[in-house]
């Protein structure tokens, strides 16, 4: 009796690395750019069968080496009669309590079985091949799907929720065309309901392009489209990567990201909680408050249950939170963040302010990608309709009151407000490194319009206005979102803040 282990084949890159060619002359070839398969002529190994005692059919006909309607009829015939009916099967596969009556010449398309069957083409395989399944994502339905696909020259339909199971089976059996189908299906159907499961699946089976697209979707939608189900499904590792990224689209300001993390952590400890997003944030605050009333620990993240969340919260850019008094007050009242973390930030920011005052630093002189990645201020707003908008975030600090003005033609920076002799003694000329990103999303959270300035430096004098992005009102679709990354201080001069 032949035994097959359940070792999973993993493609090596986003383009789906080709599996090693099975040692079998019956190996099919894929037609580049087509979803249909092209079959070689294996006349020496194609027997003729008597189906129901009346019609003689060869595998050449069964494979459908015809064109047009005849080909479609042939592939339909092979699937219904040979796969579903098991007519003239010459090999049986048993897994998860079910037996499939299959045919070697079709099964050879599976790299997994090609090597097992390579020496048994001329005689029927008398024993049942037991397929040991250790992957809990593989079920009878997904195995049946993959086996059935070997009898079709076109993809069988698969629903998004079924993709992770089908992909697991396809990787086990090394059926490249099904792996490719799953890869393309996932890319097309990333949404609130699928993104986390797709990300985990893509990471498991090394589908790099799918994993990257899922992560990009989360960067865009974590705060723009808050969702209880989504927050419940995001694990600690993914959240760490999201919060640490300067590409995370932060709606409003950094403190709002802190609020989002509180809600996410609340769901971790209350997985059965049900309610709206608005209720989620309120309940998270009440839960944390009640918890800390009964706690002897200084802060929640220093407690035994809170330690696991420390890496995530440490990625918050507290230097862009503590410049707002209301936000800083809540931060300390929550008793979530260790005081040691905040003390370091307070000290660093105070020393930076002194350096700016005494050395009259006018801001960054060059674009440093490393500084931007870890320290830039992240903020954003929603533009609901045509008209003029003006916004100023409290994080625009160190005596640099930068105002962002949006019209239907351009985005303008204005250094507004009058300086006084005692207002940190700053020069009227200031530099700021920035990146502006405009985005519009469809109902599934995928960007349908995107435009960015990339990282740039602008120099402004007091009350000066400068256009930093030109817009075409004819292609703008409302609502859309305006996101900004700012760096106001040269970190080299600020003691590596």
């Amino acid at each position: 009796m032949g035994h097959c282990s359940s070792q999973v084949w993993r493609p090596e890159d986003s383009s789906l690395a080709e599996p090693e060619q099975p040692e079998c002359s019956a190996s099919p070839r894929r037609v580049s750019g087509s979803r249909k398969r092209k079959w070689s002529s294996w006349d020496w190994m194609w027997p003729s069968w008597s189906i129901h005692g009346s019609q003689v059919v060869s595998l050449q006909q069964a494979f459908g080496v015809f064109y047009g309607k005849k080909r479609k009829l042939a592939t339909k015939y092979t699937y219904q009669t040979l796969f579903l009916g098991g007519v003239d099967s010459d090999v049986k596969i048993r897994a998860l309590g079910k037996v499939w009556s299959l045919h070697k010449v079709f099964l050879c398309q599976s790299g997994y079985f090609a090597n097992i069957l390579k020496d048994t083409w001329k005689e029927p395989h008398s024993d049942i091949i037991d397929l040991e399944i250790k992957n809990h994502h593989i079920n009878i339905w997904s195995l049946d799907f993959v086996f059935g696909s070997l009898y079709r020259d076109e993809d069988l339909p698969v629903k998004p929720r079924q993709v992770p199971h089908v992909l697991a089976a396809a990787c086990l059996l090394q059926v490249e065309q099904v792996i490719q189908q799953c890869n393309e299906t996932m890319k097309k159907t990333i949404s609130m309901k699928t993104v986390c499961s797709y990300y985990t699946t893509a990471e498991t089976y090394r589908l790099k392009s799918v994993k990257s697209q899922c992560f990009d979707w989360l960067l865009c939608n974590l705060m723009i489209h808050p969702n209880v189900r989504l927050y419940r499904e995001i694990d600690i590792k993914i959240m760490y990567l999201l919060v640490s990224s300067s590409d995370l689209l932060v709606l409003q300001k950094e403190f709002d990201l802190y609020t989002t993390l509180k809600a996410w952590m609340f769901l971790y400890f209350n997985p059965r909680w049900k309610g709206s997003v608005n209720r989620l944030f309120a309940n998270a605050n009440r839960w944390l408050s009640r918890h800390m009333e009964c706690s002897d620990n200084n802060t929640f993240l220093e407690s035994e249950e809170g330690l696991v969340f420390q890496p995530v919260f440490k990625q918050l850019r507290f230097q862009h939170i503590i410049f707002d008094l209301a936000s800083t007050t809540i931060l300390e009242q929550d008793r979530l963040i260790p005081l040691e973390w905040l003390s370091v930030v307070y000290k660093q920011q105070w020393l930076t302010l002194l350096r700016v005052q005494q050395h009259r630093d006018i801001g960054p002189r060059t674009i440093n990608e490393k500084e931007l990645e870890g320290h830039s201020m992240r903020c954003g707003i929603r533009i609901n309709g045509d008209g003029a908008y003006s916004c100023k975030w409290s994080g625009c600090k160190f005596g640099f009151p930068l105002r962002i003005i949006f019209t239907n033609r351009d985005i303008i920076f204005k250094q507004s407000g009058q300086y006084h002799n005692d207002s940190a003694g700053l020069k009227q000329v200031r530099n700021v490194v920035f990146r502006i990103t405009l985005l519009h999303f469809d109902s599934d959270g995928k960007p349908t319009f995107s435009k960015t300035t990339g990282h740039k430096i602008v120099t402004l004098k007091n009350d000066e206005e400068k256009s930093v992005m030109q817009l075409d009102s004819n292609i703008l679709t409302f609502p859309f979102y305006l996101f900004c990354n700012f760096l106001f201080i040269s970190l080299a001069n600020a003691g590596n803040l």
Side-chain angles (χ1 to χ4, degrees):
M1 180 179 297
H3 289 274
C4 306
S5 66
S6 60
Q7 223 171 11
V8 178
W9 169 73
R10 301 169 185 266
E12 292 299 323
D13 58 29
S14 60
S15 61
L16 290 175
E18 292 291 336
E20 183 177 310
Q21 282 295 326
E23 298 177 14
C24 170
S25 60
S27 176
R29 293 184 289 113
R30 297 281 311 283
V31 178
S32 177
S34 172
R35 297 302 300 152
K36 296 188 177 183
R37 300 169 215 164
K38 183 177 180 180
W39 311 103
S40 300
S41 298
W42 310 327
D43 295 333
W44 64 271
M45 55 180 297
W46 284 355
S48 294
W49 293 325
S50 175
I51 308 299
H52 305 306
S54 59
Q55 183 181 9
V56 176
V57 180
S58 73
L59 270 184
Q60 186 173 12
Q61 292 172 301
F63 267 121
V65 191
F66 301 113
Y67 296 95
K69 295 181 179 180
K70 289 186 177 180
R71 179 179 182 123
K72 293 180 179 179
L73 290 172
T75 190
K76 183 178 180 180
Y77 175 85
T78 60
Y79 182 78
Q80 292 181 346
T81 303
L82 303 184
F83 175 66
L84 295 180
V87 174
D88 290 315
S89 165
D90 58 357
V91 62
K92 296 183 185 296
I93 307 297
R94 179 166 56 200
L96 300 176
K98 178 175 178 177
V99 176
W100 283 266
S101 298
L102 304 175
H103 307 82
K104 295 177 187 177
V105 71
F106 290 95
L107 200 58
C108 184
Q109 298 169 78
S110 160
Y112 190 92
F113 285 109
N115 286 329
I116 295 175
L117 300 173
K118 63 181 179 180
D119 296 324
T120 65
W121 291 107
K122 295 182 179 180
E123 65 276 348
H125 203 285
S126 57
D127 294 330
I128 295 177
I129 298 178
D130 283 298
L131 183 62
E132 184 181 1
I133 304 295
K134 295 180 180 179
N135 188 334
H136 69 278
H137 289 107
I138 299 176
N139 52 32
I140 290 177
W141 184 90
S142 62
L143 285 174
D144 196 74
F145 182 96
V146 177
F147 285 140
S149 72
L150 303 178
Y151 290 75
R152 299 287 295 262
D153 69 343
E154 294 180 341
D155 293 336
L156 292 168
V158 56
K159 296 179 180 178
R161 61 183 175 81
Q162 299 167 334
V163 170
H165 303 286
V166 172
L167 180 61
C171 287
L172 170 65
L173 301 178
Q174 301 176 26
V175 181
E176 192 273 339
Q177 67 267 16
V178 178
I179 296 173
Q180 179 66 34
Q181 179 188 358
C182 292
N183 183 68
E184 295 303 320
T185 300
M186 285 192 284
K187 289 179 182 179
K188 294 175 182 178
T189 57
I190 295 173
S191 67
M192 193 78 68
K193 294 180 179 180
T194 63
V195 63
C196 289
S197 64
Y198 280 3
Y199 182 94
T200 302
T201 300
E203 186 174 47
T204 300
Y205 301 107
R206 301 182 185 178
L207 303 182
K208 293 183 181 179
S209 61
V210 175
K211 179 181 174 181
S212 177
Q213 289 188 26
C214 288
F215 189 72
D216 289 344
W217 190 98
L218 288 168
L219 287 172
C220 290
N221 291 276
L222 179 69
M223 296 187 67
I224 295 175
H225 299 114
N227 182 275
V228 173
R229 173 177 175 170
L230 177 66
Y231 290 171
R232 185 179 286 118
E233 292 181 352
I234 296 177
D235 64 26
I236 292 176
K237 178 184 175 183
I238 297 176
M239 188 62 84
Y240 171 87
L241 295 172
L242 291 171
V243 178
S244 63
S245 175
S246 284
D247 294 326
L248 176 65
L249 302 184
V250 173
L251 196 57
Q252 298 305 326
K253 52 188 178 178
E254 194 79 12
F255 180 75
D256 296 279
L257 177 56
Y258 166 76
T259 302
T260 297
L261 290 183
K262 282 195 297 183
W264 165 73
M265 186 177 66
F266 164 76
L267 290 173
Y268 181 90
F269 290 104
N270 301 271
R272 296 183 179 179
W273 183 87
K274 295 181 179 179
S276 66
V277 170
N278 291 333
R279 287 184 55 207
L280 171 64
F281 291 104
N283 275 264
N285 285 327
R286 286 194 294 269
W287 168 81
L288 181 60
S289 178
R290 288 195 301 266
H291 185 89
M292 295 312 296
E293 287 176 359
C294 305
S295 174
D296 295 330
N297 294 290
N298 289 330
T299 63
F300 180 79
L301 292 183
E302 293 174 295
S303 67
E304 183 177 353
E305 55 193 340
L307 285 174
V308 68
F309 296 98
Q310 278 198 16
V312 175
F313 279 88
K314 204 155 192 174
Q315 298 308 308
L316 285 168
R317 301 175 184 189
F318 293 103
Q319 67 269 34
H320 302 305
I321 296 177
I322 66 170
F323 267 83
D324 177 65
L325 179 60
S327 300
T328 304
T329 300
I330 295 174
L331 204 62
E332 294 202 348
Q333 289 177 347
D334 281 347
R335 293 172 59 203
L336 174 62
I337 306 300
L339 294 177
E340 182 181 355
W341 296 9
L342 298 179
S343 297
V344 171
V345 178
Y346 291 149
K347 178 181 178 180
Q348 289 176 335
Q349 291 298 83
W350 174 244
L351 291 176
T352 299
L353 181 59
L354 292 177
R355 289 187 181 98
V356 171
Q357 178 180 3
Q358 295 177 13
H359 298 289
R360 307 176 74 83
D361 189 343
I362 67 170
R365 299 175 186 272
T366 60
I367 297 176
N368 186 315
E369 295 290 343
K370 185 176 181 181
E371 289 182 354
L372 287 165
E373 179 58 33
H375 302 278
S376 64
M377 173 183 163
R378 303 173 289 191
C379 49
I381 60 170
R382 172 176 164 138
I383 306 294
N384 290 315
D386 200 2
Y389 294 80
S390 177
C391 55
K392 174 184 170 184
W393 286 279
S394 59
C396 296
K397 53 191 184 299
F398 295 126
F400 187 20
L402 180 66
R403 186 171 294 279
I404 296 92
I405 302 168
F406 166 82
T407 70
N408 59 356
R409 293 185 302 273
D410 56 3
I411 295 175
I412 299 169
F413 285 176
K414 180 179 181 180
Q415 185 178 192
S416 60
Q418 296 294 324
Y419 289 109
H420 302 283
N421 292 332
D422 59 349
S423 64
L426 297 177
K427 287 185 176 181
Q428 293 185 0
V429 176
R430 294 298 306 273
N431 296 334
V432 58
V433 176
F434 71 94
R435 180 179 65 190
I436 301 288
T437 303
L438 297 182
L439 289 164
H440 174 76
F441 299 91
D442 64 16
S443 58
D444 288 326
K446 294 181 179 179
T448 58
F449 171 81
S450 176
K451 184 175 182 178
T452 181
T453 61
H455 290 119
K456 293 184 177 180
I457 293 181
V458 63
T459 301
L460 294 169
K461 298 178 181 179
N462 191 30
D463 286 330
E464 183 181 12
E465 293 184 359
K466 282 191 177 180
S467 175
V468 294
M469 178 184 276
Q470 303 296 316
L471 302 175
D472 183 352
S473 58
N474 295 322
I475 64 173
L476 289 178
T477 303
F478 297 95
F480 70 87
Y481 295 84
L482 186 157
F483 296 98
C484 304
N485 290 76
F486 293 115
L487 194 63
F488 298 98
I489 302 298
S490 173
L491 299 188
N493 296 330
N496 292 323
L497 173 59

